[in-house]
Amino acid sequence: DVVMTQSPLSLPVTLGQAASISCRSSQSLVYTAGDIYLNWFQQRPGQSPRRLIYKVSKRDSGVPDRFSGSGSGTDFTLKISRVEAEDVGVYYCMQGTQWPRITFGQGTRLEIK
Amino acid sequence: EVQMLESGGGLVQPGESLRLSCAASGFTFSGYAMSWVRQGPGKGLEWVSSISNTGSITYYADSVEGRFTISRDNSKNTLDLQMNSLRAEDTAVYYCVGGYFFDWWGQGTLVTVSS
């Protein structure tokens, strides 16, 4: 299975400042047609996960534009341009290129300083 | 609005069985693969099982292969997970997830396996 490694695992951020989470895969996530199936999820305290980003950089409906995804091959990044209080929670990357053998990163806990 | 409502969780003893169900609405259920993902207490997300949109193909994580069975009824828009020979390590919140790329998630149902 593809191993997804996130860093950092804990991310204290000041309100209004930027935040960045890295996700690395143990093998290339490029699919045969050139697509990359890398998603990002947000799990707020006490809630179920919610998809924010799919196919590396496409934002889901209703996701604020302060969230952006980038990357290629095996290295991917989720950026939050200006952190707000509602962004507190755990963020997971997930690879779908090896569907159905989906794998998730360990999660990154974002907290407000 | 997409909604997925899980049910069937509870407390069982090791070796016992439990059946989870998920009622989906707000999207063309028969057009999408469906999955179960679980989250142990204080832990991350773990893929458990997936089923193709027609129900003809099923997939399982190694940790549940041979013990869990996923099924769906496209006439009722429901997804099930039959869990047999439960172990303490199966204790988790189980999420019903819709879409090939995990587009939609339910609120989860808690399964506790303990003597």
Side-chain angles (χ1 to χ4, degrees):
Chain A
D1 288 349
V2 178
V3 177
M4 306 297 289
T5 303
Q6 289 182 230
S7 63
L9 299 185
S10 179
L11 183 56
V13 183
T14 300
L15 286 173
Q17 296 299 302
S20 180
I21 301 170
S22 171
C23 176
R24 289 188 171 178
S25 58
S26 60
Q27 56 188 271
S28 174
L29 298 186
V30 178
Y31 194 58
T32 53
D35 288 325
I36 299 177
Y37 296 101
L38 186 285
N39 296 347
W40 288 96
F41 295 87
Q42 174 194 61
Q43 186 174 30
R44 291 171 170 155
Q47 296 187 12
S48 56
R50 161 202 182 196
R51 197 178 69 181
L52 298 175
I53 302 282
Y54 63 99
K55 292 181 73 173
V56 180
S57 60
K58 299 181 184 301
R59 268 191 308 274
D60 275 280
S61 176
V63 174
D65 60 8
R66 64 178 183 275
F67 289 92
S68 64
S70 63
S72 62
T74 61
D75 290 332
F76 304 93
T77 303
L78 175 70
K79 291 183 179 177
I80 309 173
S81 59
R82 297 171 305 280
V83 170
E84 298 187 5
E86 66 178 18
D87 299 335
V88 166
V90 181
Y91 292 80
Y92 296 92
C93 61
M94 183 209 90
Q95 67 79 20
T97 296
Q98 298 284 332
W99 197 95
R101 300 200 72 84
I102 301 294
T103 47
F104 294 90
Q106 319 97 298
T108 295
R109 185 173 301 277
L110 185 149
E111 61 180 37
I112 305 299
K113 281 184 184 175
Chain B
E1 180 192 3
V2 172
Q3 288 192 338
M4 286 182 295
L5 186 62
E6 301 96 335
S7 60
L11 173 62
V12 296
Q13 296 191 350
E16 294 186 339
S17 299
L18 207 57
R19 189 177 185 88
L20 305 183
S21 293
C22 171
S25 62
F27 65 103
T28 306
F29 184 76
S30 61
Y32 292 89
M34 296 292 294
S35 302
W36 290 95
V37 172
R38 68 185 180 184
Q39 186 170 34
K43 296 187 177 180
L45 302 170
E46 178 190 14
W47 169 73
V48 172
S49 180
S50 296
I51 187 167
S52 63
N53 65 312
T54 62
S56 60
I57 308 174
T58 58
Y59 310 88
Y60 300 94
D62 292 343
S63 57
V64 306
E65 179 84 55
R67 300 188 298 123
F68 290 11
T69 302
I70 190 171
S71 60
R72 65 190 294 163
D73 185 337
N74 285 347
S75 67
K76 296 180 180 178
N77 289 4
T78 57
L79 175 73
D80 289 341
L81 185 68
Q82 176 66 42
M83 305 186 294
N84 298 332
S85 303
L86 283 162
R87 306 167 180 167
E89 54 264 36
D90 295 319
T91 294
V93 174
Y94 284 73
Y95 295 103
C96 169
V97 184
Y100 283 95
F101 300 110
F102 292 55
D103 306 52
W104 313 293
W105 295 62
Q107 87 291 346
T109 187
L110 177 62
V111 172
T112 303
V113 185
S114 174
S115 55

